[in-house]
Amino acid sequence: QVQVVESGGGLVQAGGSLRLSCAVSGLRFIINYMGWFRQAPGKEREFVAAIKLTADTPHYADAVKGRFTISRDSAPNTVYLQMNSLKPEDTAVYYCAAGWGNIYTDSTMYEYWGQGTQVTVSS
């Protein structure tokens, strides 16, 4: 059984930092992409960042480029999202996802999802 476990959300003041972690268990192979999406109240889920695990190639949404960094761990199917210079508009539930495809910005590409972790940035 595949499980996606996220951790690291919380409450932070604007300008602060948080680090999210995500680990996928139950897979026999290294998955192709792991990504982060977020959903704010009343808004659609949106792409934040993704990384191709076999190539260590990161990708970012324009809204977070230069502030967020996605990285992989030496442990298989484990990634982090370092979030710096946080803004109130970053407030959302952040979801980790893992998929075998290549269209990393498309949420439907990802087969496995975590339960989400709340990130709240106060002004």
Side-chain angles (χ1 to χ4, degrees):
Q1 182 178 354
V2 178
Q3 286 189 314
V4 181
V5 179
E6 307 131 330
S7 62
L11 172 65
V12 65
Q13 288 188 331
S17 298
L18 283 174
R19 188 192 195 207
L20 305 183
S21 302
C22 177
V24 181
S25 61
L27 292 175
R28 294 181 61 191
F29 304 102
I30 301 296
I31 203 152
N32 196 31
Y33 269 101
M34 288 186 68
W36 290 94
F37 289 76
R38 67 186 181 186
Q39 188 166 18
K43 295 188 177 181
E44 293 187 354
R45 189 171 297 190
E46 64 175 1
F47 168 75
V48 174
I51 187 166
K52 187 175 176 73
L53 292 188
T54 54
D56 199 17
T57 306
H59 306 276
Y60 301 97
D62 288 343
V64 306
K65 203 171 292 183
R67 299 188 298 122
F68 291 12
T69 302
I70 187 170
S71 61
R72 63 180 183 180
D73 190 81
S74 56
N77 298 326
T78 301
V79 297
Y80 306 100
L81 185 68
Q82 178 67 41
M83 305 185 293
N84 298 329
S85 302
L86 282 161
K87 305 175 181 180
E89 51 263 45
D90 294 318
T91 296
V93 177
Y94 283 70
Y95 296 91
C96 178
W100 299 106
N102 287 295
I103 308 175
Y104 53 84
T105 57
D106 184 354
S107 62
T108 64
M109 187 276 284
Y110 295 86
E111 288 89 350
Y112 311 108
W113 289 83
Q115 76 286 356
T117 185
Q118 178 70 45
V119 171
T120 302
V121 184
S122 63
S123 58

